[in-house]
């Protein structure tokens, strides 16, 4: 992990988007680090470490970090994740899809 305090991304039209936070770090050993602009940013703020749209590899790293902090990995819908990067109780079956809002019933 490298504590940068900021994150930057370049949009397809070349615009640079930047955000700053004193607790913003990047996981430099992420297998997709820099590939197609991918970065694994971890943002520590108050009592949480936030990661947007983590894949399974990032969830595993999040679990390792949580163990050091005596914390847990919890998703937006309240689900918790295990060392495998899978939701707790995942038994090799597909996760049930999120309930769809009524205006998305056709997709």
């Amino acid at each position: 992990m490298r504590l940068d305090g900021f994150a930057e991304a370049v949009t397809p039209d070349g615009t640079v988007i930047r955000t700053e936070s004193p607790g913003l770090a990047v996981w430099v050993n992420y297998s997709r680090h820099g590939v197609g602009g991918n970065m694994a940013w971890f943002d520590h703020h108050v009592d949480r470490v936030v990661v947007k749209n983590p894949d399974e590899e990032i969830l595993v790293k999040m679990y390792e970090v949580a163990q050091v902090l005596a914390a847990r990995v919890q998703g937006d819908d309240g689900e918790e994740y295990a060392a495998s990067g899978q939701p707790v109780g995942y038994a090799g079956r597909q996760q049930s899809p999120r309930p769809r809002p009524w205006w998305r019933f056709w997709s």
Side-chain angles (χ1 to χ4, degrees):
M1 300 294 276
R2 183 183 70 218
L3 183 62
D4 288 346
F6 71 93
E8 286 184 347
V10 180
T11 65
D13 70 1
T15 304
V16 176
I17 299 172
R18 180 181 172 106
T19 186
E20 296 184 15
S21 173
L24 197 54
V26 64
W27 178 30
V28 296
N29 289 334
Y30 176 45
S31 68
R32 294 177 53 201
H33 180 81
V35 177
N38 276 323
M39 302 289 269
W41 285 303
F42 287 59
D43 188 15
H44 177 252
H45 182 72
V46 187
D47 63 345
R48 298 170 190 253
V49 176
V50 177
V51 178
K52 295 292 183 182
N53 303 315
D55 61 18
E56 190 171 298
E57 180 183 3
I58 295 171
L59 284 163
V60 168
K61 183 64 171 179
M62 291 170 67
Y63 186 86
E64 292 170 2
V65 171
Q67 294 304 292
V68 172
L69 300 173
R72 58 196 165 119
V73 178
Q74 184 174 5
D76 289 338
D77 296 325
E79 72 281 14
E80 290 189 31
Y81 289 84
S84 64
Q86 296 294 322
V88 172
Y90 185 83
R93 64 186 183 285
Q94 287 284 37
Q95 255 184 298
S96 59
R98 293 170 118 180
R100 296 182 183 165
W102 65 270
W103 62 88
R104 301 277 308 268
F105 66 89
W106 58 84
S107 57

